[in-house]
Amino acid sequence: KAGVTQTPRYLIKTRGQQVTLSCSPISGHRSVSWYQQTPGQGLQFLFEYFSETQRNKGNFPGRFSGRQFSNSRSEMNVSTLELGDSALYLCASSLRPGGENIQYFGAGTRLSVL
Amino acid sequence: GENVEQHPSTLSVQEGDSAVIKCTYSDSASNYFPWYKQELGKGPQLIIDIRSNVGEKKDQRIAVTLNKTAKHFSLHITETQPEDSAVYFCAASWEDDKIIFGKGTRLHILP
């Protein structure tokens, strides 16, 4: 069974631009969560989607948004990029929503904002 | 808000010795505590988890203990090996709420 796939793996953008990251969950998994990983802050929860609906949201500004499609694939968008948005963005999928379910992570998209 | 504190941030252990990583959580309603291991260039992977109705769980060389009264839980790795070198994350969650991760511990196994 294929794992969680995130594309692209690496991305370089400049301040003010916007970016879209993609995540394909494990087949059969309907819940997708997004995390931002930075050296100083560890893994910070961005949002969780289930059945195309956002179930939970972390403490990030409105520049960070996401969506989920009917096939459970998810995209994350960051508008008006700032230098501080440079990070590894991880996507995780699980069979069901909620933190009690095992999360399977992709390898991440490393975003560098110049 | 909910918070998970993890210590130490870096840990160096001689190969063959034991390693212990400790976490505390703030939300007393938390009842699920997973541990994830992240190797270089990869996403985190679940290695062991424990639920609030259990005090200890063991899987070969790794074990997790939970003290609900004190709101802390620990990861124990015995007979450490080079492949144990990685970043370890603890986390806490409550039913269908979001999961909160600690900031991670970078474990170095010294030859």
Side-chain angles (χ1 to χ4, degrees):
Chain A
K1 190 185 255 190
V4 177
T5 304
Q6 290 188 247
T7 55
R9 287 295 309 275
Y10 303 92
L11 210 45
I12 299 175
K13 292 286 187 178
T14 56
R15 276 182 300 173
Q17 287 187 309
Q18 75 164 17
V19 67
T20 299
L21 312 182
S22 180
C23 173
S24 292
I26 291 172
S27 177
H29 285 194
R30 296 171 60 197
S31 176
V32 173
S33 297
W34 288 88
Y35 297 86
Q36 182 193 67
Q37 184 176 12
T38 56
Q41 297 301 316
L43 285 167
Q44 291 191 288
F45 173 80
L46 280 155
F47 25 67
E48 178 192 26
Y49 285 89
F50 176 72
S51 293
E52 303 176 64
T53 302
Q54 189 180 87
R55 287 190 72 252
N56 278 310
K57 190 176 190 304
N59 297 323
F60 278 82
R63 300 185 297 108
F64 291 81
S65 63
R67 59 177 176 168
Q68 186 181 35
F69 302 94
S70 58
N71 62 358
S72 295
R73 191 177 70 84
S74 178
E75 287 183 347
M76 188 193 113
N77 185 275
V78 188
S79 62
T80 320
L81 283 166
E82 300 177 0
L83 295 178
D85 296 334
S86 294
L88 179 67
Y89 289 88
L90 291 162
C91 164
S93 75
S94 58
L95 272 171
R96 289 174 293 277
E100 277 200 314
N101 297 284
I102 297 173
Q103 310 234 333
Y104 295 85
F105 284 84
T109 294
R110 184 162 296 282
L111 172 64
S112 296
V113 182
L114 307 178
Chain B
E2 306 94 333
N3 187 42
V4 175
E5 301 234 350
Q6 182 172 349
H7 299 281
S9 57
T10 306
L11 178 62
S12 295
V13 172
Q14 210 70 38
E15 183 179 346
D17 287 350
S18 296
V20 180
I21 301 170
K22 299 182 179 182
C23 291
T24 58
Y25 59 97
S26 60
D27 189 348
S28 56
S30 295
N31 60 0
Y32 175 63
F33 308 91
W35 286 86
Y36 284 81
K37 175 184 180 182
Q38 185 177 27
E39 297 175 332
L40 202 60
K42 298 182 180 179
Q45 183 178 11
L46 180 76
I47 54 171
I48 194 167
D49 57 9
I50 191 167
R51 297 184 187 273
S52 61
N53 57 347
V54 175
E56 183 175 357
K57 184 176 178 180
K58 193 173 182 181
D59 182 5
Q60 298 183 2
R61 295 186 299 107
I62 59 173
V64 57
T65 59
L66 171 66
N67 183 328
K68 280 224 79 177
T69 303
K71 291 193 283 186
H72 66 69
F73 56 114
S74 302
L75 177 72
H76 304 253
I77 306 174
T78 59
E79 300 172 13
T80 52
Q81 300 170 5
E83 54 265 35
D84 295 329
S85 292
V87 179
Y88 291 81
F89 292 96
C90 64
S93 179
W94 169 61
E95 292 185 354
D96 65 349
D97 201 357
K98 60 181 179 289
I99 188 168
I100 306 295
F101 285 87
K103 293 187 178 181
T105 296
R106 185 172 296 278
L107 176 62
H108 299 278
I109 305 301
L110 306 172

